[in-house]
Amino acid sequence: MHTYKTIIVDDEYKLREVMAMELREACPELVIVGSAGNIDEAYQLIKKQSPHIVFLDIAMPGGSGFDLLLRFEQIEFEVIFATGFNDYAIDALKVSAVDYLLKPIRTSELKTAVEKAKVRIEDRQKIERYHHLLHNIQHIGEQATKIALPGLEAYQYVAVYDIIRCEGWERYTRIHLKDGTILVSSYSIGTFKNMLENYDFYSVHRSHLVNTQWIDRYRKEGIVVLLDGTEIPVSRRRREDFLRKVMHHLRK
């Protein structure tokens, strides 16, 4: 059985111990080579052990999990956030980190995250992905954020502002970029809705998610016209909300 060196970083000792016990039972292929209660200890431990996987808390005294990641020029380990911090910022990071788990953590979620990490450890895009993670930490909430678009065979990294719209298509999603490229992702339109709504995207229809910075005008019959000339229907039940939240804001 292939083993994976693992480190747990959390400021609460008992939570580190509980996490370690759960991992030993649910994921015996993980070998816990150490734990740390702050980012200074974690940094030294990671440099010494070169782990495959780091379970990382975010809000800790003396420095956040983000601060720890920013100390590395290259991040050559997989990160799973294990945190009580539930905010939209996590949505910007989860496209680069393996996953985030909200405390209290369920065993099924833990095992799923570990399986994702194992696959990604073998992923040749690892170094590139974490360059984007560091970039995203510095651009949380901005359209300069770069995301990994999960395609049919690989990930492709794009800046959020390069995405004009997402279109649900059968069980897939078409992502329309400003250069005219259309990417097809195996993820549903709902996944992109969750990922992008905090980055000025609006779901005008169950099959259409648009970048509001690309909106040119709105026609009274319920059609939004984008800067590239594309016309997208706004569902009847969302028109009032769309006019109030999006068009009113754009007119300011």
Side-chain angles (χ1 to χ4, degrees):
M1 178 178 66
H2 189 71
T3 58
Y4 302 85
K5 292 197 291 183
T6 303
I7 286 173
I8 300 169
V9 182
D10 196 303
D11 62 305
E12 296 189 44
Y13 174 78
K14 288 185 178 179
L15 291 181
R16 298 200 303 271
E17 289 297 296
V18 169
M19 171 79 75
M21 286 190 295
E22 284 213 42
L23 287 174
R24 291 188 184 104
E25 182 172 342
C27 307
E29 69 275 27
L30 269 55
V31 177
I32 300 169
V33 294
S35 66
N38 58 62
I39 65 172
D40 292 327
E41 292 176 0
Y43 179 77
Q44 295 301 326
L45 187 58
I46 290 169
K47 295 287 285 185
K48 178 181 179 181
Q49 295 290 349
S50 299
H52 297 99
I53 301 171
V54 174
F55 284 86
L56 181 59
D57 194 8
I58 291 178
M60 295 181 288
S64 71
F66 300 157
D67 296 327
L68 173 63
L69 296 178
L70 287 169
R71 291 190 179 187
F72 295 91
E73 289 186 15
Q74 289 188 352
I75 301 178
E76 298 179 344
F77 49 87
E78 297 295 335
V79 175
I80 299 174
F81 288 115
T83 179
F85 183 72
N86 185 14
D87 190 83
Y88 76 89
I90 299 299
D91 290 334
L93 300 176
K94 70 181 181 182
V95 297
S96 292
V98 173
D99 209 342
Y100 77 100
L101 307 175
L102 286 177
K103 302 170 184 175
I105 299 168
R106 290 185 288 189
T107 302
S108 60
E109 294 173 337
L110 195 63
K111 293 173 73 172
T112 298
V114 169
E115 288 303 314
K116 290 180 187 178
K118 287 161 59 178
V119 171
R120 288 174 59 153
I121 287 167
E122 308 303 325
D123 188 343
R124 289 175 295 175
Q125 298 179 355
K126 181 168 54 179
I127 293 176
E128 179 186 4
R129 182 170 62 250
Y130 276 102
H131 279 310
H132 290 302
L133 172 60
L134 297 181
H135 173 90
N136 287 354
I137 289 171
Q138 296 166 339
H139 294 87
I140 290 172
E142 302 174 11
Q143 287 214 353
T145 296
K146 294 181 179 180
I147 66 172
L149 296 178
L152 298 179
E153 296 181 356
Y155 285 84
Q156 181 165 341
Y157 291 87
V158 301
V160 171
Y161 55 63
D162 286 334
I163 303 173
I164 298 175
R165 61 191 177 94
C166 299
E167 173 189 6
W169 176 61
E170 296 180 352
R171 291 178 298 173
Y172 304 98
T173 300
R174 286 173 169 162
I175 302 104
H176 297 257
L177 305 182
K178 71 177 183 180
D179 65 0
T181 301
I182 300 175
L183 304 177
V184 177
S185 173
S186 56
Y187 281 24
S188 70
I189 187 74
T191 297
F192 288 97
K193 178 175 180 287
N194 292 334
M195 186 187 299
L196 295 170
E197 275 192 328
N198 287 306
Y199 294 86
D200 294 329
F201 279 70
Y202 187 89
S203 180
V204 297
H205 184 280
R206 67 180 182 179
S207 299
H208 295 284
L209 182 69
V210 301
N211 186 340
T212 61
Q213 296 189 17
W214 276 83
I215 292 176
D216 182 34
R217 62 190 185 277
Y218 174 77
R219 298 210 305 259
K220 290 183 179 179
E221 62 266 34
I223 300 293
V224 63
V225 182
L226 305 183
L227 292 172
D228 67 347
T230 303
E231 298 183 354
I232 305 291
V234 182
S235 68
R236 288 186 178 276
R237 68 183 184 86
R238 300 182 189 181
R239 288 178 191 176
E240 184 179 342
D241 184 71
F242 173 76
L243 290 172
R244 183 178 70 255
K245 291 183 178 179
V246 179
M247 296 308 296
H248 178 71
H249 175 74
L250 291 177
R251 292 190 189 105
K252 291 183 179 180

